[in-house]
Amino acid sequence: MSVIVRFAPSPTGKLHVGNVRTALLNYLFVRKKGGKFILRIDDTDLERSTKAYEEGIQTDLSWLGMHWDSTFNQSHKFANYDSAAKRLREAGLLYACYETAEELDKQRKLQRVAGKPPVYNRAALELTDEQKDAYRMEGRLPHWRFKLSGSVVTWNDMVRGEQSIDTSSLSDPVLIRGDGTYLYTLPSVVDDIDAQITHVIRGEDHVTNSGAQIEIFRALSDHLPTFAHTPLLVGKDGKSLSKRLGSLSVEQLREDGLEPMAVCSLLGKIGTSDPVEIRTSIEQLSEEFAFSKIGRAPARFDEDELMMLNSKLLLETDYNDVKDRLDNLGVEGGERFWNLIRANIDKISDAVSWSVMAFAPMSGQIEPEDTDFCALAADALPDEIDADSWSKWTAFLKETTGRKGKSLFMPLRMALTGRARGPGMGDMLQILGAEKAKARLKGYSG
Ligand code: GLU
């Protein structure tokens, strides 16, 4: 049996680290097993769904290196949902309810006061035809609930192990609203049957839904996917990310200059028994993927860790893989310069300021007490700089001035680069060349 999975975002907002992790886990699993990855656009909510969000989702997944084998919109499948609803109605499993939202609210309050769980009381099942007619005459439109069996639904979850949901503790779920629109529950099952989805991999906020959905699967077909519910993401402080998800959109990470494989490495590893380390390809991540490695505790998402992975990734990135982007950013100096600065940047765009520093005119930063020292250093610098120049030059300056350690090196670094930290000065001096270096040491622009 070949694996078929789906990622099913609603195009009512931007993809964020939480939902894109679900996409990634589906993707890593299917790439490991061989099979199909379907992108299902859950746009049954026609008012809140937009094409712009839908395109954004596609851009984000492509940027991260996730390619779908097929895609479809739920808004094109209403006929399927209608015929599934008809079958459920005919089987006596989908029933019309006429309560208003206020009435249901009042009912729940009374249940709470009486110390009972706020489960729908199924009063609608008792309505006579006359009562239903009377409601319709009043102008009430029915919403439709699925009749749960009231028994315990069990499944073997690939992350959570044996699961059981007692459906007698749940309200019969509303599948169709009064205005005729579908809630998520039924369309998802109909599509999972239609596409013969073998594994439903999603966040653990859907565990209870699964109890009801498994009963709907059984009512409609012989097909039942295997389920995997993964713990949700939390911040590094262990707190929910829900309020911060807006700023943790994939688009924002891209704009912040993060590399897709840094994002995938983090999201593919947090919450698993593997260490969080940089991986340079999705293939590698997928080879290492296993549901058995996913723990039950929430996965901690830490932006600082993401940035650290990003800089580690850049350190391992070959010039040819970034040449075009460096060219677009106007970074000069070719491969040699890239190899020199890549250990000193968090993001590709940080290369710009190093390039400006090395290749554009700039005057060095010299403290008043170092002016004479730097002038002497300028005079002592040979006209031809080679790989040994830095060590010979600084050895000479040490001997001549008696300076050593920080007081020897820091004024030179500050005068030549304007920064207290950065790449190795032996290479940097060669890149600058004698003329620039001398000018900067003398306090001129060079
Ligand atoms: N559109 C649903 C969501 O984003 C899909 C859930 C599922 O994977 O079944 O929550």
Side-chain angles (χ1 to χ4, degrees):
M1 183 186 69
S2 149
V3 167
I4 308 176
V5 297
R6 85 300 194 272
F7 172 53
S10 305
T12 53
K14 292 178 185 174
L15 277 194
H16 53 70
V17 290
N19 41 33
V20 88
R21 172 166 172 264
T22 299
L24 182 66
L25 298 180
N26 273 282
Y27 196 75
L28 297 181
F29 176 66
V30 76
R31 284 293 165 262
K32 178 163 186 170
K33 295 284 174 192
K36 278 194 189 138
F37 176 75
I38 298 176
L39 172 61
R40 184 181 92 196
I41 302 294
D42 282 7
D43 58 351
T44 51
D45 184 343
L46 297 173
E47 263 168 38
R48 289 174 57 228
S49 301
T50 72
K51 274 286 159 203
Y53 284 135
E54 187 178 326
E55 281 158 20
I57 289 167
Q58 298 189 342
T59 305
D60 291 345
L61 291 178
S62 304
W63 177 69
L64 288 166
M66 288 183 246
H67 309 291
W68 49 95
D69 298 290
S70 63
T71 179
F72 67 91
N73 290 57
Q74 287 196 318
S75 59
H76 298 163
K77 303 266 177 180
F78 285 124
N80 290 4
Y81 312 146
D82 292 346
S83 78
K86 184 163 173 269
R87 285 179 54 206
L88 293 177
R89 251 180 229 122
E90 283 165 1
L93 291 171
L94 190 63
Y95 62 97
C97 302
Y98 293 85
E99 295 91 343
T100 62
E102 294 74 36
E103 284 165 354
L104 289 171
D105 201 38
K106 197 167 152 203
Q107 200 181 98
R108 281 191 290 265
K109 277 188 190 136
L110 289 173
Q111 284 169 318
R112 233 172 262 135
V113 170
K116 291 190 188 143
V119 173
Y120 176 59
N121 65 10
R122 290 186 163 172
L125 282 175
E126 313 297 326
L127 293 176
T128 61
D129 287 344
E130 290 84 59
Q131 285 171 311
K132 289 183 195 170
D133 285 344
Y135 277 136
R136 283 197 206 104
M137 299 289 280
E138 257 182 51
R140 292 198 191 200
L141 295 167
H143 56 275
W144 297 81
R145 289 187 190 260
F146 177 75
K147 195 172 160 206
L148 292 167
S149 68
S151 57
V152 177
V153 173
T154 60
W155 74 93
N156 191 3
D157 196 284
M158 284 192 296
V159 176
R160 300 165 62 88
E162 273 307 315
Q163 292 294 290
S164 56
I165 300 276
D166 180 357
T167 62
S168 69
S169 68
L170 305 179
S171 293
D172 288 339
V174 176
L175 301 190
I176 306 172
R177 296 185 188 89
D179 64 3
T181 58
Y182 287 94
L183 281 104
Y184 145 82
T185 318
L186 177 65
S188 182
V189 172
V190 171
D191 290 333
D192 287 345
I193 294 170
D194 200 34
Q196 292 286 294
I197 298 299
T198 58
H199 297 79
V200 168
I201 304 162
R202 58 188 181 185
E204 66 183 11
D205 49 335
H206 284 290
V207 168
T208 313
N209 281 343
S210 292
Q213 285 185 321
I214 287 173
E215 293 211 325
I216 302 175
F217 270 106
R218 290 193 177 130
L220 291 174
S221 97
D222 293 332
H223 179 79
L224 185 66
T226 302
F227 289 86
H229 293 92
T230 60
L232 302 182
L233 288 192
V234 292
K236 70 173 165 192
D237 52 5
K239 291 201 185 123
S240 160
L241 283 177
S242 55
K243 291 208 185 83
R244 294 173 42 222
L245 285 174
S247 63
L248 293 174
S249 67
V250 177
E251 182 187 87
Q252 188 63 50
L253 298 180
R254 184 166 60 241
E255 279 170 11
D256 288 349
L258 286 150
E259 301 296 312
M261 276 316 298
V263 178
C264 289
S265 298
L266 185 71
L267 293 179
K269 293 294 183 191
I270 47 174
T272 76
S273 52
D274 282 346
V276 177
E277 287 165 352
I278 198 72
R279 294 288 177 262
T280 50
S281 71
I282 294 255
E283 287 66 40
Q284 200 183 352
L285 275 178
S286 87
E287 273 161 31
E288 293 167 359
F289 176 83
F291 281 109
S292 58
K293 293 182 179 178
I294 300 179
R296 290 289 302 271
R300 285 178 190 246
F301 177 85
D302 177 354
E303 289 110 306
D304 297 337
E305 192 170 26
L306 179 58
M307 200 46 101
M308 203 186 70
L309 288 175
N310 207 62
S311 42
K312 281 197 181 151
L313 179 67
L314 293 178
L315 186 58
E316 290 179 26
T317 302
D318 287 338
Y319 176 66
N320 283 331
D321 293 332
V322 282
K323 180 181 182 310
D324 292 346
R325 288 162 71 196
L326 293 173
D327 288 348
N328 284 340
L329 288 168
V331 173
E332 298 178 50
E335 182 164 6
R336 180 172 185 203
F337 189 64
W338 170 249
N339 290 346
L340 179 61
I341 59 160
R342 65 184 171 177
N344 292 276
I345 56 177
D346 287 332
K347 314 182 283 276
I348 288 265
S349 57
D350 296 344
V352 173
S353 62
W354 283 114
S355 171
V356 169
M357 184 282 295
F359 302 107
M362 181 194 91
S363 35
Q365 279 197 33
I366 304 172
E367 297 296 325
E369 66 270 24
D370 295 325
T371 313
D372 293 345
F373 170 63
C374 288
L376 172 78
D379 291 337
L381 193 66
D383 288 335
E384 294 296 326
I385 310 284
D386 61 27
D388 297 328
S389 300
W390 172 260
S391 56
K392 284 188 191 153
W393 179 52
T394 50
F396 169 80
L397 292 173
K398 182 177 178 185
E399 208 173 297
T400 320
T401 65
R403 285 185 183 237
K404 58 183 180 195
K406 207 174 163 196
S407 74
L408 171 68
F409 294 111
M410 193 51 84
L412 299 176
R413 181 180 279 282
M414 288 302 295
L416 291 172
T417 71
R419 301 189 195 188
R421 277 199 270 162
M425 288 304 296
D427 289 304
M428 190 53 94
L429 187 62
Q430 288 180 76
I431 282 173
L432 291 174
E435 197 182 328
K436 248 187 177 25
K438 284 185 194 217
R440 290 183 185 184
L441 287 161
K442 288 187 173 162
Y444 309 141
S445 176

